[in-house]
Amino acid sequence: MLETVAAAEPSFFNRALHVSGLAVAWAWAVVAGGGGFGLILTEGPLPLTHGWYAMFSGIALCPPTAWLVKRCAAVELSYPVRLATAFAIILAGRLALILHVWPLG
């Protein structure tokens, strides 16, 4: 006799949390990533704080980045890990601007 095990449907709360997480990730990728890239185009690539940190923060939180890492490196990155990485990149950029650590520009 063949038994089939039906997967439990995710609850409404879990589904809403997942969808809102995706919305935040995409919004941050577009706003920070696109804004950082725009700064690089308008202000130039030097000093390295001109948009680079924002762009890489957006790339870190972008859902396709997690998919590529999972597919190419066989490592699954959770949303909190990607969020913490994006926050750390932005924080490092803000500290670099405050401390003026770049000798060029």
Side-chain angles (χ1 to χ4, degrees), residues 7-97:
E9 289 290 323
S11 68
F12 176 75
F13 177 74
N14 286 343
R15 185 72 180 146
L17 191 62
H18 177 73
V19 169
S20 63
L22 276 175
V24 167
W26 275 110
W28 186 255
V30 169
V31 171
F37 185 68
L39 258 174
I40 292 169
L41 289 178
T42 58
E43 299 290 325
L46 291 177
L48 294 179
T49 53
H50 277 171
W52 289 100
Y53 288 96
M55 185 179 71
F56 284 123
S57 174
I59 291 171
L61 195 56
C62 190
T65 303
W67 177 79
L68 280 172
V69 170
K70 183 178 179 181
R71 182 174 175 173
C72 297
V75 175
E76 188 169 353
L77 298 175
S78 67
Y79 180 77
V81 168
R82 292 185 295 137
L83 184 65
T85 303
F87 179 73
I89 291 171
I90 282 293
L91 184 64
R94 296 307 302 166
L95 285 174
L97 278 174

